Amino acid sequence: MRGNGIAGKAFSGEGCRRGQESHRARSHRGTVSVLALVGVCVLSFVTTQMAGAQPVAENVDTGFVIPFAGAPVYESVAPTQMTTPDQLNQPLGQQTAEEIAAQIGLEPADALTEEQYRDLMTGGGIGGNLEDAEVIDECARILTNTNGRPLYSGTTPSVLASYGLYVNPDGLLESPANADAPTRQVNTLIAPGGFVGTWLRNNGATHTLIALYQSAYTVQAVYGFAAQQISGEAQLVTNTKGDVSSEVGMSMAPPLWIVNFALLYILKPSLAAAMPAHWAPIPPAVADAVKASPTGQIAFSDYASYFE
């Protein structure tokens, strides 16, 4: 029996199939559009390289593919897969962070002053907002969840940055790119014309904003956006080298890692130095569970043993 759909139109099995086909077509067009945007950005980058950035000359096979690999000239700047247990969740350190900053077009003078950083993070300065500042602070803590910097869900500590995962305050394990995560929600704050850019311009840090946009941040942000748009609720990335495939959270894929590094560096270089130096494959059972979850979230307590 047919029912009446929107605007009184008949809704039947045939109509449903046409709708599904239309949805698939739109999804395909959406994916093509996102990848086309990446292509335009690459072409623009090749013809008019950004002033401050100093891309690495050699290309390397990291096991990631476009758009998850990001701009080829910066792919080797991002973390490599860990090869020894002691590299798990190890932070970059300041010296390595400064070397990476130089390669992507940033230097210490581009970062906020101590006073500017303090004002921004406490909701001060002209146009300051404590609620937005707290989101930024949460992002910094999630992205620097390395050894010595645990996150807590209740009394349970977790250190998972190398996996590109974190445990939220409700005890759910998820990718930092999950729609629920502050690290995804902050996109509205850092978008052109958003809170961060406006605050920087109003508080004597226009040079910081210019340096950010002239760095690798700009081209990598396009790849990062494309990667997020085609990764569903789980927001995991597949890495394949030879015959071995593994999964890692979106935040450890080259474009998003470099974007986040640049943002933390201009806030405070020591924050960027606390980011993970290597990525680690998510245990397969955990990755499968995250991908099977309709929200991309799973109870950490059910899977904590995989990270011990």
Side-chain angles (χ1 to χ4, degrees):
M1 178 178 177
R2 293 185 179 185
N4 287 329
I6 297 174
K9 293 182 180 179
F11 182 84
S12 65
E14 179 63 22
C16 182
R17 284 193 293 274
R18 283 198 298 267
Q20 290 171 337
E21 290 167 1
S22 176
H23 173 73
R24 284 194 294 269
R26 287 195 301 271
S27 297
H28 176 70
R29 287 196 298 271
T31 300
V32 171
S33 297
V34 166
L35 295 179
L37 178 60
V38 170
V40 169
C41 186
V42 172
L43 180 60
S44 174
F45 178 71
V46 170
T47 56
T48 57
Q49 181 180 315
M50 288 168 288
Q54 302 172 27
V56 178
E58 73 275 11
N59 290 333
V60 295
D61 178 16
T62 62
F64 295 106
V65 298
I66 298 294
F68 307 103
V73 290
Y74 293 115
E75 198 170 354
S76 63
V77 176
T80 56
Q81 184 175 350
M82 59 174 279
T83 55
T84 59
D86 63 300
Q87 293 176 335
L88 181 64
N89 298 315
Q90 277 295 328
L92 290 169
Q94 200 62 54
Q95 180 177 340
T96 301
E98 295 301 343
E99 292 170 357
I100 292 172
Q103 288 177 317
I104 67 170
L106 294 171
E107 60 183 14
D110 297 325
L112 299 180
T113 65
E114 283 293 333
E115 181 180 359
Q116 288 170 330
Y117 172 75
R118 184 172 58 252
D119 285 346
L120 174 63
M121 300 305 285
T122 57
I126 300 172
N129 184 297
L130 184 57
E131 184 177 339
D132 290 342
E134 289 173 347
V135 171
I136 295 170
D137 181 61
E138 286 183 83
C139 292
R141 289 188 289 109
I142 291 169
L143 296 171
T144 60
N145 180 213
T146 47
N147 293 337
R149 300 175 65 93
L151 292 174
Y152 285 88
S153 173
T155 59
T156 303
S158 58
V159 177
L160 301 169
S162 282
Y163 297 102
L165 297 173
Y166 86 103
V167 182
N168 73 16
D170 294 324
L172 297 176
L173 181 69
E174 63 188 50
S175 165
N178 188 285
D180 172 71
T183 31
R184 182 68 177 271
Q185 296 168 354
V186 77
N187 287 350
T188 58
L189 302 184
I190 62 176
F195 166 72
V196 172
T198 301
W199 191 95
L200 294 178
R201 285 190 293 271
N202 289 341
N203 289 274
T206 300
H207 72 287
T208 295
L209 190 61
I210 292 173
L212 178 67
Y213 287 159
Q214 288 182 337
S215 75
Y217 168 88
T218 301
V219 67
Q220 294 290 58
V222 176
Y223 283 95
F225 172 78
Q228 289 178 330
Q229 295 305 301
I230 60 176
S231 295
E233 298 297 333
Q235 292 292 304
L236 302 184
V237 178
T238 299
N239 180 279
T240 303
K241 296 199 77 172
D243 296 328
V244 180
S245 290
S246 56
E247 305 279 346
V248 69
M250 183 71 68
S251 59
M252 292 306 294
L256 267 299
W257 189 91
I258 291 174
V259 162
N260 291 328
F261 176 92
L263 289 168
L264 291 184
Y265 188 87
I266 65 164
L267 281 179
K268 194 178 183 70
S270 60
L271 286 176
M275 290 182 67
H278 299 276
W279 68 267
I282 299 171
V286 178
D288 289 345
V290 171
K291 289 188 290 185
S293 167
T295 63
Q297 302 167 310
I298 56 177
F300 179 61
S301 59
D302 293 342
Y303 294 90
S305 61
Y306 287 94
F307 299 100
E308 294 175 352

